[in-house]
Amino acid sequence: QVQLVESGGGLVQAGGSLRLSCAASGHTFSIYFMGWFRQAPGKEREFVAGMRWNGASTRYADSVKGRFTISRDSANNTLYLQLNSLQPEDTAVYFCAVDLGRSSGYDYWGQGTQVTVSS
């Protein structure tokens, strides 16, 4: 199993920045891909960004390209999401998730961290 703990959320004004962290523990050697998702009130959860755990590739949702950057510290099993130029529509609970590469979607999820952007 893999355990995930997110941190770094908070309240920020429009145009501001935050950095989210996702600390992974457990069977981290089995991680194939990690992603960030978000869910705003009344909306479905949506993909934000993701990367191969070996750093080979990254993907972003069109809505965050050029503003958000995903990275990882493999030595410390931590995934990051740098959020810049935040807008009120970025307000959501942000989750990290692990895909073990078994073609069954994401296998483990964190509890989420709240990001609130005021106008």
Side-chain angles (χ1 to χ4, degrees):
Q1 288 197 351
V2 178
Q3 294 79 41
L4 303 171
V5 178
E6 301 98 333
S7 60
L11 173 64
V12 63
Q13 288 188 331
S17 298
L18 285 172
R19 189 175 83 153
L20 307 183
S21 300
C22 173
S25 60
H27 293 174
T28 56
F29 58 86
S30 59
I31 296 174
Y32 173 75
F33 192 91
M34 288 192 73
W36 286 100
F37 291 76
R38 66 185 181 186
Q39 188 166 19
K43 294 188 177 181
E44 293 189 353
R45 186 167 55 194
E46 63 174 353
F47 173 80
V48 175
M51 70 184 303
R52 284 279 305 274
W53 194 235
N54 64 6
S57 64
T58 58
R59 297 203 300 260
Y60 294 92
D62 288 343
S63 58
V64 306
K65 280 181 182 176
R67 299 190 298 124
F68 293 5
T69 303
I70 191 170
S71 62
R72 95 267 189 257
D73 178 351
S74 56
N76 291 304
N77 296 318
T78 302
L79 183 73
Y80 300 101
L81 186 67
Q82 179 68 40
L83 292 68
N84 295 332
S85 302
L86 282 162
Q87 299 301 314
E89 53 266 34
D90 295 316
T91 295
V93 178
Y94 285 70
F95 301 87
C96 65
V98 161
D99 178 358
L100 301 181
R102 300 183 296 195
S103 301
S104 59
Y106 288 85
D107 300 280
Y108 299 102
W109 295 82
Q111 83 289 348
T113 186
Q114 176 71 47
V115 171
T116 303
V117 184
S118 63
S119 56

